Amino acid sequence: MNRFDGGGNREAKIRYLDADFQILTPGTFVTCAITGRPVLVDELRYWSVVRQEPYADAAASLEAEKRAGALPNQRR
C-alpha cells in the first residue's frame, strides 16, 4: 500500500507482526510511541510485536526496549 491508495491524510491502524504488518484501517501515517512524531506507513521500519507500537527510527526502538526492560542484562 502506498500513500496514494485511499486512506487520505489520517492515521492508519496497524497490527504489527514479525517482519511485516497488517493494515486494519487505511491511513498515511502512524504515530511513534516514543517521539510522538508521525511516520509515513511507506517508511515504517521499526515496531514492537509484543507492545504493538510503531517507532520513528532505530533510536526510538532502542529507547522503547530500555523502558520495557527488555534488553539483555538489564535490571528490572
Side-chain angles (χ1 to χ4, degrees):
M1 171 177 224
N2 66 46
R3 71 183 83 168
F4 304 109
D5 289 343
N9 189 26
R10 66 179 186 216
E11 188 164 11
K13 301 296 181 209
I14 295 179
R15 179 181 315 158
Y16 301 99
L17 309 170
D18 290 329
D20 200 4
F21 54 84
Q22 177 184 21
I23 296 175
L24 303 175
T25 303
T28 56
F29 70 94
V30 292
T31 301
C32 175
I34 297 298
T35 66
R37 294 188 337 231
V39 180
L40 293 177
V41 172
D42 288 348
E43 297 174 7
L44 181 60
R45 302 290 179 265
Y46 302 94
W47 60 81
S48 168
V49 174
V50 173
R51 292 182 296 281
Q52 291 294 294
E53 297 176 334
Y55 308 115
D57 52 30
S61 177
L62 178 60
E63 180 61 26
E65 293 298 306
K66 287 179 183 176
R67 289 182 186 182
L71 296 177
N73 301 321
Q74 185 178 5
R75 294 182 187 188
R76 291 185 178 202

